[in-house]
Amino acid sequence: MKRLAFLLVAVLIGTTVAMAQNRGGQRQFDPEEMAKRQTEQFKTELELNDTQAENMEKVLLKSYNEMTTLRQEMTGEEDRTKMREKMTEWRANQQKELKKILTDEQFAKYEKLMEERRANRRGRPGGGRQ
């Protein structure tokens, strides 16, 4: 009986630890997958034509690859101001490239969508930092 109780406790602990690992760490960030998914969303939301969608995917892929590099460089970075400056520069470069692809109306819609997403992240636990 004691062995059965011990076994049940061990299984319970093992399951808890396995589940906690998926939540605690950063999600896997695949730039290609993210660029494709975002492009599909924007294609619908911004009513992109095929050429715009293709160009947007290229810009997003390049941008997400840069983000991956930035994250690796900033691992363990103590200076939050420096990190914020790099991220602001990255975002500005991305927007400059997207502005070349989108019409003025589409870009305004894009900015509104991104602001809504940032606001939603701020409202969630573990979401956007302030």
Side-chain angles (χ1 to χ4, degrees):
M1 191 64 162
K2 286 183 180 181
R3 283 186 176 176
L4 181 60
F6 178 76
L7 182 62
L8 288 174
V9 170
V11 169
L12 181 63
I13 291 172
T15 304
T16 304
V17 169
M19 289 176 65
Q21 287 179 351
N22 289 336
R23 292 185 192 144
Q26 287 231 342
R27 290 180 278 169
Q28 291 296 328
F29 183 80
D30 179 16
E32 287 184 32
E33 181 183 319
M34 186 75 161
K36 286 180 183 180
R37 189 168 47 108
Q38 286 291 305
T39 300
E40 286 302 313
Q41 288 176 347
F42 287 135
K43 189 172 184 176
T44 303
E45 294 169 338
L46 303 176
E47 300 173 14
L48 302 177
N49 63 38
D50 291 341
T51 303
Q52 286 177 310
E54 186 178 312
N55 290 334
M56 179 171 255
E57 186 172 341
K58 288 177 186 176
V59 167
L60 291 176
L61 179 59
K62 178 184 172 211
S63 182
Y64 294 151
N65 280 326
E66 289 171 0
M67 171 58 75
T68 301
T69 302
L70 271 176
R71 283 181 175 172
Q72 290 170 350
E73 289 174 1
M74 291 188 298
T75 301
E77 180 70 46
E78 296 294 325
D79 187 359
R80 294 275 182 203
T81 305
K82 186 177 178 183
M83 287 172 50
R84 192 171 291 119
E85 288 172 1
K86 285 182 178 184
M87 296 302 288
T88 301
E89 183 181 332
W90 170 82
R91 186 173 289 120
N93 288 336
Q94 181 187 43
Q95 287 185 337
K96 186 169 63 173
E97 291 296 316
L98 292 176
K99 199 166 190 168
K100 293 176 186 176
I101 297 168
L102 304 173
T103 65
D104 291 340
E105 182 181 306
Q106 288 171 323
F107 190 75
K109 207 172 183 180
Y110 165 79
E111 286 183 314
K112 184 179 177 192
L113 284 168
M114 296 311 291
E115 184 55 40
E116 289 172 3
R117 289 179 183 178
R118 280 190 286 275
N120 287 339
R121 278 195 309 264
R122 284 186 204 112
R124 289 192 321 226
R129 296 182 180 112
Q130 298 186 11

